[in-house]
Amino acid sequence: MVLVNGPVVVGLDNGGTANNATILTAAGEFLVDRMVEIPSRVKEGPEPAVTALADALDNILAVTGVPREAVVAVGLDTPGPATADGVISQKGSTNFSEPAWHGFDIRGALEARLGLPVVYHNDGNAAALYAHHVYFGGAAADTSSIAAIVGTGLGGGVVENGQVVKGAAGMAGELGHVTIPLHGLIEDDQPLPLCNCGFTGDSESIASLTGIAQNLLPYWLSRYPDHPLHAEPSVLAAAKKLRGMAEAGDEMALRVFAQQAAAIGRLFTVAANFTDPHAYFVGGGVVETQPHFREWFIKTVREHTLLRAEQAAVATFALVPDLDMAGARGAAIAALERHLPGE
């Protein structure tokens, strides 16, 4: 149990299977240094899922011993796409595929349920905000960054002067669907990578687990007919084993991840010409790996990020810290900045 004097905010990270929660004090101290999860129930529809988010808040208060009356606001993140106000896309998304979710105002529903103000970001933006604040600390409000989060898809966010860039419809920072140059990135006989969104050659079509399973691995397995991954029951099962093989030095696996790193580098090259950020962050499963592999991966990203000499002199490349906790923590930071400014 933690003794708290003064107001706090709660951060809730909503996922396909679990909600993670954290608490942030007005002084900027996180009261838990681990995941505190309960089932998210998103597959059951909006009403059970909102109940589960409310339960996640109650659970983190019970774990820490913080009284409910100390909570002044809640930060919420969910997988995108969604508007800046937390309305799920009319087309749904990976975790919100059931029709009842399409166009659902999850932020507003949770706010009504809790009777507390709720601040919303998508999960990529929340992780990007957390990485920015951890890295820059007291200089966060005077700096900018971009973060690419590699998972089932490719998420991320753009932070300018310490604030997430949301855009007119709240869908800025959808880095996975930025089209990148493919010349020199894929092999001459390699099929053009297709994304589930309908684009050809966007960054997610290469730099994601889905991109590996649908685009990269089928091609590279054809180049390595004796590779042991041919024995896997499906290409997705093979894709999930690829990272461990790359860590062990498997030649084919390293060629796949080299393409992913190059794709992120080309994405960052686009960002350099649009936002010219102080820092470029990489997160996700691709860097939740052995030190030698993640160092090689981010080095490869940097080698494929084309910067002017002036930019290269001031740019930083780093990993998103505490990645499994980054979403909830970034959501909490957003709530703190909105409702306890200057604390």
Side-chain angles (χ1 to χ4, degrees):
M1 185 172 293
V2 181
L3 294 177
V4 175
N5 293 315
V8 302
V9 296
V10 173
L12 298 176
D13 172 45
N14 168 260
T17 59
N19 295 323
N20 180 46
T22 193
I23 293 182
L24 180 61
T25 69
E29 177 188 3
F30 288 102
L31 298 185
V32 291
D33 59 0
R34 59 185 175 86
M35 300 281 280
V36 181
E37 293 182 306
I38 67 168
S40 65
R41 302 178 65 188
V42 295
K43 298 302 182 185
E44 299 176 41
E47 186 174 346
V50 171
T51 296
L53 284 166
D55 291 344
L57 182 143
D58 291 338
N59 183 59
I60 193 66
L61 295 179
V63 167
T64 57
V66 173
R68 174 69 182 269
E69 56 268 23
V71 181
V72 297
V74 173
L76 169 67
D77 79 74
T78 75
T83 72
D85 293 324
V87 178
I88 304 301
S89 169
Q90 292 289 344
K91 293 184 177 180
S93 71
T94 300
N95 285 348
F96 304 114
S97 57
E98 292 81 3
W101 280 113
H102 298 183
F104 182 75
D105 181 3
I106 190 169
R107 186 208 64 81
L110 182 61
E111 186 169 272
R113 174 65 179 264
L114 298 177
L116 289 166
V118 176
V119 177
Y120 177 81
H121 281 307
N122 72 43
D123 54 359
N125 285 345
L129 183 65
Y130 178 62
H132 184 90
H133 278 259
V134 169
Y135 189 85
F136 289 109
D142 301 313
T143 47
S144 60
S145 65
I146 183 169
I149 315 296
V150 186
T152 303
L154 180 68
V158 178
V159 178
E160 184 68 35
N161 294 328
Q163 300 293 316
V164 171
V165 177
K166 292 189 173 183
M171 296 183 181
E174 290 289 345
L175 305 181
H177 306 301
V178 174
T179 302
I180 57 175
L182 297 179
H183 180 70
L185 173 60
I186 62 174
E187 300 291 304
D188 291 342
D189 62 339
Q190 191 169 358
L192 294 176
L194 303 177
C195 182
N196 286 342
C197 74
F199 288 176
T200 299
D202 63 14
S203 54
E204 184 175 298
S205 70
I206 298 173
S208 66
L209 178 63
T210 303
I212 288 178
Q214 293 185 356
N215 299 311
L216 305 188
L217 194 52
Y219 169 76
W220 284 108
L221 283 172
S222 74
R223 295 280 299 271
Y224 289 79
D226 298 324
H227 198 278
L229 286 181
H230 282 284
E232 292 299 313
S234 69
V235 70
L236 181 59
K240 289 180 177 179
K241 288 191 173 182
L242 200 66
R243 187 180 71 185
M245 301 186 78
E247 288 180 288
D250 180 84
E251 179 182 308
M252 187 197 75
L254 287 171
R255 295 186 77 169
V256 171
F257 283 105
Q259 285 191 321
Q260 287 207 332
I264 294 172
R266 293 192 177 202
L267 172 66
F268 284 168
T269 300
V270 174
N273 286 289
F274 269 90
T275 67
D276 189 23
H278 293 86
Y280 302 82
F281 296 115
V282 180
V286 74
V287 293
E288 292 179 336
T289 53
Q290 295 294 323
H292 74 275
F293 179 81
R294 63 174 178 257
E295 289 165 9
W296 167 80
F297 190 87
I298 200 164
K299 177 176 177 288
T300 306
V301 169
R302 182 162 195 163
E303 288 172 350
H304 286 85
T305 303
L306 304 181
L307 302 178
R308 295 176 177 84
E310 297 86 350
Q311 294 173 313
V314 298
T316 296
F317 288 72
L319 303 176
V320 174
D322 305 317
L323 191 73
D324 54 355
M325 297 186 290
R329 288 188 166 195
I333 288 171
L336 184 72
E337 291 182 333
R338 178 80 61 86
H339 292 282
L340 292 172
E343 292 286 342

